Structure formats: structure tokens, C-alpha cells
Amino acid sequence: MDEKMFVEEKIGEIKETVGQNKAISALSGGVDSSACTVLAHRAIGSNMMAIFIDDGLMREDEPEDVTKIFSDLGIQVEVVNAHDEFFAALKGIFDPEEKRKAFRETFYTVFGREVLRSEAKYLIQGTIAADIIETKGGVKTQHNILEQIGIDPEKGFGFKVVEPLKELFKPQVREVAREVGLPESIYRRMPFPGPGLATRVIGEVTPERVSLVRKATRIVEEEVEPLKPFQAFAVLLGDRGTGIDEGQRKFGNIIIVRSVESKDAMTAEPTEVPWEILMSISKRITGEIPEVSRVAYEITPKPPATIEYI
Ligand code: XMP
């Protein structure tokens, strides 16, 4: 694929489709939504409104980092703080699929509100080829936000969906992201699930528990950085384990560290993380997060395990 040509072609197509109308883009900071937000901005300038829904389940400084990257590219991003709404929806839920459902419904409510509030006639969506294949196969349910918030894109309010990346697979999207000037921190970004850190907290998702796993995630990402794994993260278990803190026994939290190598996330192998890095992760997590008393490294491939814990 010639990325330059692809970019020029898509800019032309978006321009032609959207015309003088307004469009809205749901930016998550992932490579897909980032690439298509830049394409749309290049095509229609300030008629494209980028919305970043801050669900309170992101990694450390993620909303700030993403808005800074886009502002450096001359693209203003509107951040919608919806922490309370997401935590309220997730309260008391232990079941993994119930968590996803609560997340999804809250996302559509919050984003749907923004779409309706804006004067946008078009929604720029970072759907890629794998999303369409997985939706058809019943693996994913994210595809087509408008339909899921109860707006029929054909009849409804006259909104139309623009999907500039829908023929591409992930590696090609990364090339396009690089071509449009996004930094390496975006085009090489590890996959991060839509429901964010809610998928990495076993048991109830509370602000306190998310905060623990967020700190541990930062440490894991920093330590494995030289290895450039496909995906690496921390998980907070629902159970606890005894540790010793200043001579006292304490029943602290348990963090699992997961790092995997994969091509397409359909199958995965555990990363062979060198011992020194594992020890450093363990020392830093227990040293920097007093609520944690134990750290374990997980070595199950996919299958039989999935990559995430829920
Ligand atoms: P699993 O855990 O199923 O994950 O092996 C495969 C890939 O998909 C990501 N993942 C999700 N992405 N919403 C998403 O947008 C989800 O609910 C979800 N669950 C898993 C996961 O991070 C991995 O890259």
C-alpha cells in the first residue's frame, strides 16, 4: 500500500462526503481513532469536532497526553469528563460480561448525548477491517455506534457514518498514522480495551481499585518498554494475600503482571521477560504501591487463557 496516496485519496473522499457540514469524531487515543481524526481534520478542518470521553478508566495521564499530542497537530479535542457516570454504572458489578455491558451502555449514553448536542451530520469512526470481520463473526459488538445508541443512520436524524479506515488491517493503520504525522507513542500504541482498566480489575470496579491497577500498569509499561511486547499490563485480583509491612502482617492486594506476544490478538504467547525486569517490576509495585503485598507473573498462552482477565 502507498500510504501517501491512501491519505490523499481518503482526505478527498471525506471532503466530498461531508462537504460544508459538521462531523464529530470519538477519539480514544488508540491508533485507529487517532488516524481517522487526523484524516478528517485534514479534510474538513474545524468542521470536525473531536470528542474524547474520559471514562475514568484510562491509563495514567492518558487524557492529558492525547489532548497534548493533538493540540501539537493543531487539532482541538473536547474532553468530556464522565468518571461519575461510568463508576455509578459499574458499581456492584462483578460479572465480566455485565461490566462490558454497563460500560457500553454508558458510553453510548454519554457519546450519544454529545452527538445530539453537536450540529454534526457525520460521525467519523475508526472502524478497521478486523472490526467488521469480528462483528460479523459475533466476536465484537462495538461496530456501529449509531445503531447501538438507537439512531438509525439511514433514517434517524440524518447522521451518516464515515469510516475511512475500514479496508485496512492494523499494521496498515499504523503506517497511515505515521504518515499523517502522529508520534510513535500513538502509532506503536499497545492495544488497550474499550472498557479500559475495568477489564483489569477482578471484582468490583471502584475508583480506589482502578487507581491501584493504574499505578501498577504505569510501572509494568515502563519496565517492559525495552522489550516492546505486543501488549503488557497489570491486573488487580479480587482476592488478597498476606505480606509484611514494617514488621506488621498485612492482608494486601495481589497484582498479576501479563505480557504477551501476538500478531492479531487471536492467539498469544507469554513474553519471556528477563528475570531482572520481573524483579524490578515486583520491587517497584510493592515499594511504590503500599496497598499491594504480592506480585505474580502469568505464563498462560492464548488459548486456553484470553489476553485480558475478564
Ligand atoms: P482477549 O482478552 O479476548 O483480547 O484475548 C483480545 C484483544 O482484544 C482486547 N479486548 C477488548 N477490546 N473491548 C475492546 O475494545 C473489550 O471488551 C475487549 N476485551 C478484550 C484485548 O485487550 C486484546 O488486545
Side-chain angles (χ1 to χ4, degrees):
M1 183 185 75
D2 183 331
E3 291 84 35
K4 259 199 179 66
M5 256 173 65
F6 177 88
V7 167
E8 290 311 317
E9 218 176 275
K10 289 295 157 185
I11 290 175
E13 276 176 30
I14 299 171
K15 230 182 230 168
E16 204 175 291
T17 311
V18 180
Q20 296 305 310
N21 294 298
K22 289 204 157 62
I24 191 167
S25 163
L27 176 67
S28 70
V31 62
D32 310 340
S33 70
S34 296
C36 75
T37 299
V38 180
L39 285 177
H41 177 79
R42 292 241 188 121
I44 59 168
S46 57
N47 272 346
M48 193 250 353
M49 191 174 150
I51 299 277
F52 182 98
I53 296 175
D54 181 2
D55 51 24
L57 302 163
M58 305 269 174
R59 286 166 287 189
E60 235 167 62
D61 302 329
E62 206 157 17
E64 295 79 7
D65 290 349
V66 172
T67 42
K68 164 88 173 57
I69 287 168
F70 278 82
S71 119
D72 288 348
L73 291 170
I75 303 172
Q76 292 312 313
V77 177
E78 190 182 324
V79 179
V80 178
N81 182 325
H83 296 195
D84 293 348
E85 244 168 306
F86 278 92
F87 281 116
L90 289 162
K91 197 170 164 41
I93 300 181
F94 288 74
D95 179 79
E97 289 314 310
E98 286 297 312
K99 269 183 206 172
R100 280 199 180 77
K101 184 164 171 275
F103 178 89
R104 220 166 34 231
E105 287 175 0
T106 313
F107 187 89
Y108 297 136
T109 306
V110 175
F111 187 61
R113 209 160 52 213
E114 295 304 318
V115 174
L116 294 173
R117 207 166 57 85
S118 74
E119 291 162 21
K121 290 269 183 284
Y122 290 88
L123 174 72
I124 311 289
Q125 202 169 271
T127 312
I128 69 169
D131 297 333
I132 297 171
I133 295 166
E134 289 184 346
T135 305
K136 284 189 182 144
V139 181
K140 268 193 189 163
T141 44
Q142 288 106 318
H143 188 63
N144 212 320
I145 285 181
L146 283 189
E147 280 157 8
Q148 294 195 15
I149 56 176
I151 298 171
D152 181 338
E154 297 306 322
K155 307 179 207 130
F157 293 83
F159 289 104
K160 294 225 163 55
V161 185
V162 181
E163 297 170 314
L165 308 174
K166 71 173 178 214
E167 304 120 53
L168 305 188
F169 284 92
K170 204 68 152 198
Q172 298 169 305
V173 179
R174 292 191 197 282
E175 289 305 316
V176 170
R178 181 154 70 160
E179 176 62 32
V180 296
L182 284 160
E184 196 173 335
S185 63
I186 299 272
Y187 70 74
R188 281 206 203 283
R189 216 173 188 76
M190 287 186 206
F192 186 64
L197 297 174
T199 62
R200 293 164 184 184
V201 166
I202 311 305
E204 193 178 15
V205 179
T206 63
E208 296 72 29
R209 303 191 75 223
V210 168
S211 162
L212 282 187
V213 84
R214 178 180 289 123
K215 288 181 198 158
T217 299
R218 157 65 56 102
I219 295 171
V220 172
E221 286 189 353
E222 281 175 4
E223 293 292 324
V224 301
E225 219 286 315
L227 307 174
K228 306 235 178 297
F230 174 81
Q231 196 170 357
F233 53 91
V235 178
L236 175 64
L237 286 195
D239 218 334
R240 292 179 172 234
T242 300
I244 297 175
D245 190 15
E246 292 177 356
Q248 297 287 322
R249 289 166 78 86
K250 71 164 183 194
F251 201 40
N253 287 284
I254 306 171
I255 288 284
I256 301 282
V257 177
R258 179 105 163 115
S259 179
V260 295
E261 304 307 325
S262 176
K263 275 203 176 63
D264 49 17
M266 302 294 278
T267 60
E269 289 294 326
T271 308
E272 290 188 30
V273 181
W275 188 249
E276 309 77 64
I277 295 183
L278 286 175
M279 289 311 291
S280 175
I281 290 174
S282 161
K283 280 192 187 126
R284 283 191 59 194
I285 291 178
T286 50
E288 295 171 30
I289 316 173
E291 297 91 337
V292 177
S293 59
R294 282 162 191 256
V295 176
Y297 183 59
E298 124 114 88
I299 52 169
T300 327
K302 173 184 180 176
T306 50
I307 294 177
E308 303 290 346
Y309 263 55
I310 74 161

